[in-house]
Amino acid sequence: MGNENIIRAWAVKQPGAELERYDFDAGQLKNDEVEIKVEYCGICHSDLSMMANDWGFSHYPLVPGHEVVGEIVRMGNAVKGLKVGQKVGLGWTAESCQHCDPCIGGHANLCSHAVPTVLGGIHQGGFADKVRAQWQWVIPLPENMDMSKAGPLLCGGITVFEPLLQHGINASHKVGVIGVGGLGHMALGFFNAWGCEVTAFSSNPDKYDAIYRMGAHKILDSRDTEAFTQAAGSLDLIVSTVNVKLDWNAYMTLLKPHGKLHIVGATLEPLDIAAFSLISGQKAVAGSPTGSPAQLRTMIEFAARKQVEPIVEEYPMSRVNEAVQHLEAGKARYRIVLKSDW
C-alpha cells in the first residue's frame, strides 16, 4: 500500500525555472486540516510572481496554484462543518492563527501570521493531485456552480468583490474599473450583478463590444483627456486591477466627494497622488487583499446565484508549462484553468 501522504505535483526548483514533476511527502494530516483532491486549479499572475520570487518571500521547490476546486478526501479530527466527498474551493490563504484580533474580529485575511497556499517549502499549492489547508479556509461550493469556472473566483473574484463590502457599495453607486483582464473582467460582472452603474476604462475600440458583454454600461477612453474632463466628479469608486504606473491624479478627478480609488493590482511603482486630490473632496485611496472566509463564502454564493463566471481557457495540468507561457505572453482570455489529469 502506498504512502497516503505523498502528493504528486508540478514545481519550480529555482526562480525563472520551468515547472517540472515533483513528488513530496506532506507529512501527517494535522487535526485542523482538510485534504482536497484537486479537480481544477486556476493560474493567477500571483503564481507567476511567486515562481519568480518577485516579492522576495518564495521558498523552493515551490508548487504554485491557489485557485483550487475539488473534493474533500480526508479531514483532521478537529475539522468542523465539512464532510468527506464535499465539493470545495481554496484561494490565496491556506491557514491563519485564529487568535489575533483580526482573526477574532472576522478579518482573518489580515492576519499577520497567515500562510499563503503558495509559499514553497512551508506550504505547497494546487498544481498537484492534492492540496491541504486549514478547514476555515476551505470554502463549500454551491451545487449549481460550474466547477471548471469556480477556481478563479476564489482569488481573482474575491479580490474585486471585497471592495464592494469594504466601502458599503450598493446599487445606487457608480463604479469604474481600470484594466479589463483577468481581474477586471470579473469586476465588471460582479459590479453589474451588484446593481451598480459600471464604467470601464479602455482605449481599444476593438474590445468595446466584449467589454459591454462583460457587464460595463459605459466605456471611457483612458487616453482621451476631454472625456475625463466631461466625466469629472461622476464616480463613487474606482477599482484598479492593473500592475503598471498610471496618471493617478487624472483618475482622482473622476471621483465624487468622498469617492475612493481602490488598488487591487499590485503595481510596484509608488502611487504619485497630489495632496489636494485627496483634500478637496475628502477622497481616499484604499487597497485590500483577497477576503476573509466569511467574505469568500458570501462571494461564492452571490456568484452562483447571479451566475457571475470568469471567462476561462482550459488546459490539462500536464501541459502546465504551455499554459504558463500563454499567460506570460499576455494572451490569456481571460483566466487559465488547469484540469487535473493525473
Side-chain angles (χ1 to χ4, degrees):
M1 184 175 178
N3 183 348
E4 64 180 352
N5 296 317
I6 295 295
I7 292 180
R8 298 175 293 170
W10 289 90
V12 289
K13 301 292 182 67
Q14 60 187 21
E18 279 201 342
L19 289 146
E20 56 185 275
R21 282 282 290 106
Y22 171 65
D23 295 349
F24 65 98
D25 188 336
Q28 291 298 313
L29 190 70
K30 297 176 184 176
N31 287 341
D32 64 350
E33 279 188 330
V34 171
E35 186 170 83
I36 303 165
K37 179 182 178 183
V38 178
E39 296 182 24
Y40 295 92
C41 185
I43 307 180
C44 175
H45 269 283
S46 297
D47 289 313
L48 304 185
S49 296
M50 290 299 294
M51 289 163 63
N53 199 22
D54 288 342
W55 299 331
F57 57 83
S58 299
H59 300 262
Y60 299 89
L62 182 143
V63 179
H66 59 275
E67 297 181 341
V68 182
V69 294
E71 179 180 309
I72 296 175
V73 290
R74 286 201 293 162
M75 301 191 307
N77 57 23
V79 173
K80 302 180 187 301
L82 299 169
K83 59 186 179 182
V84 171
Q86 187 172 5
K87 300 293 187 182
V88 293
L90 172 66
W92 174 255
T93 307
E95 63 179 86
S96 51
C97 79
Q98 302 301 321
H99 61 77
C100 68
D101 286 348
C103 281
I104 298 234
H107 304 287
N109 55 313
L110 306 181
C111 173
S112 61
H113 300 289
V115 176
T117 298
V118 178
L119 192 55
I122 298 169
H123 199 282
Q124 302 290 15
F127 290 9
D129 65 339
K130 294 178 291 186
V131 68
R132 295 177 177 181
Q134 191 177 49
W135 67 266
Q136 291 93 336
W137 291 98
V138 176
I139 308 303
L141 297 180
E143 289 185 6
N144 64 332
M145 180 156 278
D146 184 343
M147 295 280 283
S148 69
K149 296 181 179 179
L153 295 171
L154 295 157
C155 178
I158 187 61
T159 296
V160 296
F161 185 82
E162 205 279 345
L164 296 174
L165 305 178
Q166 182 173 331
H167 300 299
I169 298 300
N170 61 47
S172 72
H173 289 115
K174 298 180 179 182
V175 299
V177 177
I178 304 173
V180 184
L183 287 175
H185 90 283
M186 283 189 275
L188 296 177
F190 270 120
F191 298 170
N192 182 298
W194 204 249
C196 302
E197 180 183 283
V198 185
T199 297
F201 297 94
S202 175
S203 58
N204 186 352
D206 293 339
K207 286 186 174 181
Y208 285 5
D209 287 344
I211 291 171
Y212 284 125
R213 288 194 299 271
M214 291 172 189
H217 299 103
K218 297 180 178 181
I219 297 175
L220 200 59
D221 186 338
S222 52
R223 296 179 181 173
D224 187 341
T225 55
E226 180 57 31
F228 269 55
T229 299
Q230 293 178 5
S234 63
L235 299 175
D236 298 283
L237 172 70
I238 298 174
V239 176
S240 174
T241 69
V242 299
N243 61 357
V244 296
K245 183 179 178 68
L246 297 176
D247 183 355
W248 301 111
N249 290 297
Y251 286 95
M252 294 298 292
T253 66
L254 300 175
L255 292 172
K256 297 179 182 179
H258 303 289
K260 309 291 194 302
L261 172 63
H262 192 102
I263 307 296
V264 297
T267 175
L268 299 180
E269 296 272 354
L271 302 183
D272 180 13
I273 295 176
F276 278 106
S277 291
L278 302 172
I279 294 170
S280 60
Q282 294 186 17
K283 301 171 187 177
V285 179
S288 59
T290 60
S292 69
Q295 289 173 330
L296 279 158
R297 291 181 181 220
T298 298
M299 178 276 302
I300 210 76
E301 291 169 4
F302 180 79
R305 179 159 53 88
K306 290 293 191 175
Q307 297 181 314
V308 178
E309 295 178 335
I311 299 169
V312 304
E313 295 180 82
E314 190 175 301
Y315 283 76
M317 194 170 288
S318 56
R319 288 168 52 197
V320 62
N321 281 306
E322 182 183 338
V324 166
Q325 290 166 8
H326 188 64
L327 177 58
E328 288 177 329
K331 296 179 179 178
R333 296 294 181 269
Y334 282 84
R335 298 292 279 199
I336 296 174
V337 172
L338 302 174
K339 182 177 182 179
S340 180
D341 62 346
W342 295 97

